[in-house]
Amino acid sequence: AVDWLLLLGVAMTSFCGQLSLIRGFQLLDAGKAAGLNFSQVLWGYIFGILLFHEHLTLFGVLGTCLIAVGMGCVTARSKPKIQTEDNKSATVRDLAAGGCGSVLLPLQQQQSGMRETDSFIKRHLSFQRLLGRN
């Protein structure tokens, strides 16, 4: 009976940890989330040494350093350029043109569709805020 309770406890904590990990991936951009995901290897190595008294190996230390440097490079990148409303409208027009650029849409259609594009962007941004993805 005690084994089943321990197994249930492990299952529940693993499930809660996975839900937390998924929510974290939703809140972060992909580069930073991937960097944090790679840190699992580092934590596993550190906990193995501290809790289970595993021995340091040359390859273990080199691998840990390589992962740490890669993680630092990914998370230290500069932030992407913030889009203005004009850039967002141009992006939506490019997507509407099949990704071939807004040159495929006639000029009159671009100008008359600006109100629809702005409405689309506002709806999209409010939906993203609702999901918590600023």
CSV table of all heavy atoms in Angstrom, one decimal, residues 81-89 91-92 116-134:
chain,number,residue,atom,x,y,z
A,81,LYS,N,13.1,43.3,-32.7
A,81,LYS,CA,12.6,44.7,-33.0
A,81,LYS,C,11.1,44.7,-32.7
A,81,LYS,O,10.4,43.9,-33.2
A,81,LYS,CB,13.0,45.1,-34.4
A,81,LYS,CG,12.7,46.5,-34.7
A,81,LYS,CD,13.3,46.8,-36.1
A,81,LYS,CE,12.2,47.4,-36.9
A,81,LYS,NZ,12.6,47.7,-38.3
A,82,ILE,N,10.7,45.7,-32.0
A,82,ILE,CA,9.3,45.9,-31.7
A,82,ILE,C,8.6,46.4,-33.0
A,82,ILE,O,9.0,47.3,-33.6
A,82,ILE,CB,9.0,46.8,-30.5
A,82,ILE,CG1,9.7,46.2,-29.3
A,82,ILE,CG2,7.6,47.1,-30.3
A,82,ILE,CD1,9.7,47.2,-28.1
A,83,GLN,N,7.5,45.7,-33.3
A,83,GLN,CA,6.7,46.1,-34.5
A,83,GLN,C,5.8,47.3,-34.2
A,83,GLN,O,5.2,47.3,-33.2
A,83,GLN,CB,5.9,45.0,-35.0
A,83,GLN,CG,6.7,43.9,-35.7
A,83,GLN,CD,5.8,42.9,-36.4
A,83,GLN,OE1,4.6,42.8,-36.0
A,83,GLN,NE2,6.3,42.3,-37.4
A,84,THR,N,5.8,48.3,-35.1
A,84,THR,CA,4.8,49.4,-35.0
A,84,THR,C,3.6,49.0,-35.8
A,84,THR,O,3.6,47.9,-36.4
A,84,THR,CB,5.4,50.6,-35.6
A,84,THR,OG1,5.7,50.4,-37.0
A,84,THR,CG2,6.7,51.0,-34.9
A,85,GLU,N,2.6,49.8,-35.6
A,85,GLU,CA,1.3,49.5,-36.4
A,85,GLU,C,1.6,49.4,-37.9
A,85,GLU,O,1.0,48.6,-38.5
A,85,GLU,CB,0.2,50.5,-36.0
A,85,GLU,CG,-0.3,50.4,-34.6
A,85,GLU,CD,-1.0,49.0,-34.4
A,85,GLU,OE1,-1.7,48.5,-35.3
A,85,GLU,OE2,-0.8,48.4,-33.3
A,86,ASP,N,2.4,50.3,-38.4
A,86,ASP,CA,2.7,50.3,-39.8
A,86,ASP,C,3.4,48.9,-40.2
A,86,ASP,O,3.0,48.4,-41.3
A,86,ASP,CB,3.6,51.4,-40.2
A,86,ASP,CG,2.9,52.8,-40.1
A,86,ASP,OD1,1.6,52.8,-40.1
A,86,ASP,OD2,3.6,53.8,-39.9
A,87,ASN,N,4.3,48.5,-39.4
A,87,ASN,CA,5.0,47.2,-39.7
A,87,ASN,C,4.0,46.0,-39.7
A,87,ASN,O,4.1,45.1,-40.5
A,87,ASN,CB,6.1,46.9,-38.8
A,87,ASN,CG,7.3,47.9,-39.0
A,87,ASN,OD1,7.4,48.5,-40.0
A,87,ASN,ND2,8.2,48.0,-38.0
A,88,LYS,N,3.1,46.1,-38.7
A,88,LYS,CA,2.1,45.0,-38.5
A,88,LYS,C,1.2,45.0,-39.7
A,88,LYS,O,0.9,43.9,-40.3
A,88,LYS,CB,1.3,45.2,-37.2
A,88,LYS,CG,2.1,44.9,-36.0
A,88,LYS,CD,1.3,45.1,-34.8
A,88,LYS,CE,2.1,45.0,-33.5
A,88,LYS,NZ,1.4,45.4,-32.3
A,89,SER,N,0.8,46.1,-40.2
A,89,SER,CA,-0.1,46.2,-41.3
A,89,SER,C,0.6,45.7,-42.6
A,89,SER,O,0.0,44.9,-43.4
A,89,SER,CB,-0.6,47.6,-41.6
A,89,SER,OG,-1.3,48.1,-40.5
A,91,THR,N,3.0,43.5,-42.6
A,91,THR,CA,3.2,42.1,-42.4
A,91,THR,C,1.9,41.3,-42.8
A,91,THR,O,1.9,40.3,-43.5
A,91,THR,CB,3.6,41.7,-41.0
A,91,THR,OG1,4.8,42.4,-40.7
A,91,THR,CG2,3.8,40.2,-40.8
A,92,VAL,N,0.8,41.9,-42.3
A,92,VAL,CA,-0.5,41.2,-42.7
A,92,VAL,C,-0.8,41.3,-44.1
A,92,VAL,O,-1.3,40.3,-44.8
A,92,VAL,CB,-1.7,41.9,-41.8
A,92,VAL,CG1,-3.0,41.4,-42.3
A,92,VAL,CG2,-1.5,41.6,-40.4
A,116,GLU,N,-9.7,47.1,-42.5
A,116,GLU,CA,-9.9,45.7,-42.2
A,116,GLU,C,-8.7,45.1,-41.6
A,116,GLU,O,-8.7,44.3,-40.6
A,116,GLU,CB,-10.3,44.9,-43.5
A,116,GLU,CG,-11.6,45.3,-44.0
A,116,GLU,CD,-11.8,44.7,-45.4
A,116,GLU,OE1,-10.9,44.0,-45.9
A,116,GLU,OE2,-12.9,45.0,-46.0
A,117,THR,N,-7.5,45.4,-42.1
A,117,THR,CA,-6.3,44.9,-41.6
A,117,THR,C,-6.1,45.4,-40.1
A,117,THR,O,-5.7,44.6,-39.2
A,117,THR,CB,-5.1,45.4,-42.4
A,117,THR,OG1,-5.3,45.0,-43.7
A,117,THR,CG2,-3.8,44.9,-41.9
A,118,ASP,N,-6.3,46.7,-39.9
A,118,ASP,CA,-6.2,47.2,-38.5
A,118,ASP,C,-7.1,46.5,-37.5
A,118,ASP,O,-6.8,46.2,-36.4
A,118,ASP,CB,-6.4,48.7,-38.5
A,118,ASP,CG,-5.3,49.5,-39.2
A,118,ASP,OD1,-4.2,48.9,-39.3
A,118,ASP,OD2,-5.5,50.6,-39.6
A,119,SER,N,-8.3,46.2,-38.0
A,119,SER,CA,-9.3,45.5,-37.2
A,119,SER,C,-8.8,44.1,-36.9
A,119,SER,O,-8.9,43.6,-35.8
A,119,SER,CB,-10.7,45.5,-37.9
A,119,SER,OG,-11.6,44.7,-37.2
A,120,PHE,N,-8.3,43.4,-37.9
A,120,PHE,CA,-7.7,42.1,-37.7
A,120,PHE,C,-6.6,42.1,-36.7
A,120,PHE,O,-6.5,41.3,-35.8
A,120,PHE,CB,-7.2,41.5,-39.1
A,120,PHE,CG,-6.4,40.3,-38.9
A,120,PHE,CD1,-7.1,39.1,-38.7
A,120,PHE,CD2,-5.1,40.3,-39.0
A,120,PHE,CE1,-6.3,37.9,-38.6
A,120,PHE,CE2,-4.3,39.1,-38.9
A,120,PHE,CZ,-5.0,37.9,-38.7
A,121,ILE,N,-5.7,43.1,-36.8
A,121,ILE,CA,-4.6,43.2,-35.9
A,121,ILE,C,-5.1,43.4,-34.4
A,121,ILE,O,-4.6,42.8,-33.5
A,121,ILE,CB,-3.6,44.3,-36.3
A,121,ILE,CG1,-2.9,43.8,-37.6
A,121,ILE,CG2,-2.6,44.5,-35.2
A,121,ILE,CD1,-2.1,44.9,-38.2
A,122,LYS,N,-6.0,44.3,-34.3
A,122,LYS,CA,-6.6,44.5,-32.9
A,122,LYS,C,-7.2,43.3,-32.3
A,122,LYS,O,-7.0,43.0,-31.2
A,122,LYS,CB,-7.5,45.7,-33.0
A,122,LYS,CG,-6.9,47.0,-33.2
A,122,LYS,CD,-7.9,48.1,-33.3
A,122,LYS,CE,-7.2,49.4,-33.7
A,122,LYS,NZ,-8.1,50.5,-33.9
A,123,ARG,N,-8.0,42.6,-33.2
A,123,ARG,CA,-8.6,41.3,-32.6
A,123,ARG,C,-7.5,40.3,-32.3
A,123,ARG,O,-7.6,39.6,-31.3
A,123,ARG,CB,-9.5,40.7,-33.7
A,123,ARG,CG,-10.8,41.5,-33.8
A,123,ARG,CD,-11.9,40.7,-34.6
A,123,ARG,NE,-11.4,40.1,-35.9
A,123,ARG,CZ,-11.4,40.7,-37.1
A,123,ARG,NH1,-12.0,41.9,-37.2
A,123,ARG,NH2,-11.0,40.1,-38.1
A,124,HIS,N,-6.5,40.2,-33.1
A,124,HIS,CA,-5.4,39.2,-32.9
A,124,HIS,C,-4.7,39.6,-31.6
A,124,HIS,O,-4.4,38.7,-30.8
A,124,HIS,CB,-4.5,39.2,-34.1
A,124,HIS,CG,-3.3,38.3,-33.9
A,124,HIS,ND1,-3.4,36.9,-33.9
A,124,HIS,CD2,-2.0,38.6,-33.6
A,124,HIS,CE1,-2.2,36.4,-33.7
A,124,HIS,NE2,-1.3,37.4,-33.5
A,125,LEU,N,-4.3,40.8,-31.4
A,125,LEU,CA,-3.6,41.3,-30.2
A,125,LEU,C,-4.5,41.1,-28.9
A,125,LEU,O,-3.9,40.7,-27.9
A,125,LEU,CB,-3.2,42.7,-30.3
A,125,LEU,CG,-2.1,43.0,-31.4
A,125,LEU,CD1,-1.8,44.5,-31.5
A,125,LEU,CD2,-0.8,42.2,-31.0
A,126,SER,N,-5.8,41.4,-29.0
A,126,SER,CA,-6.6,41.2,-27.8
A,126,SER,C,-6.7,39.7,-27.5
A,126,SER,O,-6.8,39.3,-26.4
A,126,SER,CB,-8.0,41.8,-28.0
A,126,SER,OG,-8.7,41.2,-29.1
A,127,PHE,N,-6.8,38.8,-28.5
A,127,PHE,CA,-6.8,37.4,-28.3
A,127,PHE,C,-5.5,36.9,-27.7
A,127,PHE,O,-5.5,36.1,-26.7
A,127,PHE,CB,-7.0,36.7,-29.6
A,127,PHE,CG,-7.2,35.2,-29.5
A,127,PHE,CD1,-8.3,34.6,-28.9
A,127,PHE,CD2,-6.2,34.3,-30.0
A,127,PHE,CE1,-8.4,33.2,-28.7
A,127,PHE,CE2,-6.3,33.0,-29.9
A,127,PHE,CZ,-7.4,32.4,-29.2
A,128,GLN,N,-4.4,37.4,-28.1
A,128,GLN,CA,-3.1,37.1,-27.5
A,128,GLN,C,-3.0,37.5,-26.0
A,128,GLN,O,-2.5,36.8,-25.2
A,128,GLN,CB,-1.9,37.7,-28.3
A,128,GLN,CG,-1.7,37.2,-29.7
A,128,GLN,CD,-1.3,35.7,-29.6
A,128,GLN,OE1,-0.6,35.3,-28.8
A,128,GLN,NE2,-1.8,34.9,-30.6
A,129,ARG,N,-3.6,38.7,-25.7
A,129,ARG,CA,-3.6,39.2,-24.3
A,129,ARG,C,-4.5,38.3,-23.5
A,129,ARG,O,-4.2,38.0,-22.4
A,129,ARG,CB,-4.1,40.6,-24.3
A,129,ARG,CG,-3.0,41.6,-24.6
A,129,ARG,CD,-3.4,43.0,-24.2
A,129,ARG,NE,-4.5,43.5,-25.0
A,129,ARG,CZ,-4.5,44.1,-26.1
A,129,ARG,NH1,-3.3,44.3,-26.7
A,129,ARG,NH2,-5.6,44.5,-26.7
A,130,LEU,N,-5.6,37.8,-24.1
A,130,LEU,CA,-6.5,37.0,-23.4
A,130,LEU,C,-5.8,35.6,-23.0
A,130,LEU,O,-6.0,35.1,-21.9
A,130,LEU,CB,-7.7,36.7,-24.2
A,130,LEU,CG,-8.8,35.7,-23.7
A,130,LEU,CD1,-9.4,36.4,-22.5
A,130,LEU,CD2,-9.8,35.4,-24.7
A,131,LEU,N,-5.0,35.1,-23.9
A,131,LEU,CA,-4.2,33.9,-23.7
A,131,LEU,C,-3.0,34.1,-22.8
A,131,LEU,O,-2.4,33.2,-22.4
A,131,LEU,CB,-3.8,33.3,-25.0
A,131,LEU,CG,-4.9,32.8,-25.9
A,131,LEU,CD1,-4.3,32.2,-27.2
A,131,LEU,CD2,-5.6,31.7,-25.2
A,132,GLY,N,-2.7,35.4,-22.5
A,132,GLY,CA,-1.5,35.7,-21.7
A,132,GLY,C,-0.2,35.6,-22.4
A,132,GLY,O,0.8,35.4,-21.9
A,133,ARG,N,-0.2,35.9,-23.8
A,133,ARG,CA,1.0,35.8,-24.6
A,133,ARG,C,1.4,37.2,-25.1
A,133,ARG,O,1.9,37.3,-26.2
A,133,ARG,CB,0.8,34.9,-25.8
A,133,ARG,CG,0.5,33.5,-25.5
A,133,ARG,CD,0.4,32.8,-26.8
A,133,ARG,NE,-0.1,31.4,-26.5
A,133,ARG,CZ,-0.5,30.6,-27.5
A,133,ARG,NH1,-0.6,31.0,-28.7
A,133,ARG,NH2,-0.9,29.4,-27.2
A,134,ASN,N,1.3,38.2,-24.3
A,134,ASN,CA,1.6,39.6,-24.7
A,134,ASN,C,2.3,39.6,-26.0
A,134,ASN,O,3.0,40.0,-26.6
A,134,ASN,CB,2.4,40.2,-23.6
A,134,ASN,CG,1.6,40.3,-22.4
A,134,ASN,OD1,0.4,40.2,-22.4
A,134,ASN,ND2,2.2,40.4,-21.2
